[in-house]
Amino acid sequence: MHQPRQFPGVFTCSYLYVFTLTLPSAATMFTAFPSQSAQYGNVYDALPDSSIRSVSIVLMIINQAFAYAMFIMPVHHMWEKLIRTHDKPYWVRLPSRLPVGCLVLLVALAFPFFGVVNSFLGAGTTTLETYIVPALAYNLVYRRESAQISCPLPPPW
């Protein structure tokens, strides 16, 4: 997003998504299948076989593909800047992204059971990277009044 003034609207939409879709479905699942939810690492193991379950799995795979594309895009942009292809046509930039994709694939194959590692890292770093690091970065970047005046989205005070 190239217009920082749109950030509050995007954040509001993301909060609405979490509070209207993600939390109610998770709460419903944990309420409907409490013992199975604790036993299985995957919610689909607790659900009975049905066409609705199959459709849900397909939609989850599509969601994962979009999430991967969204999360890998900044890495691709940094890679393009590093190898100086960021201002080239798309047909040149696309093959230049292959080394990053291959590296991600190699890491994914090297850690096939990443769930335990991911749970450990998530438990230890989510609060740090979600709340503490952005607040420290903001305070460091905009600690001077001259930086506060020239920031794209001025502070609310």
Side-chain angles (χ1 to χ4, degrees), residues 54-136:
S54 300
V55 169
S56 176
I57 290 172
V58 169
L59 290 174
M60 183 58 72
I61 291 170
I62 293 169
N63 177 40
Q64 292 296 320
F66 278 106
Y68 170 78
M70 200 171 58
F71 290 132
I72 201 70
M73 193 60 70
V75 178
H76 283 194
H77 287 304
M78 289 186 297
W79 176 254
E80 289 172 1
K81 290 260 187 188
L82 180 70
I83 63 172
R84 297 183 183 5
T85 59
H86 61 282
D87 55 352
K88 302 275 192 285
Y90 192 68
W91 62 271
V92 173
R93 290 187 329 219
L94 189 60
S96 73
R97 296 176 178 182
L98 283 176
V100 173
C102 291
L103 181 65
V104 169
L105 180 64
L106 178 68
V107 170
L109 292 174
F111 299 104
F113 303 106
F114 195 64
V116 176
V117 176
N118 193 21
S119 297
F120 178 73
L121 291 174
T125 62
T126 299
T127 302
L128 182 71
E129 68 188 23
T130 304
Y131 301 111
I132 298 171
V133 171
L136 285 174

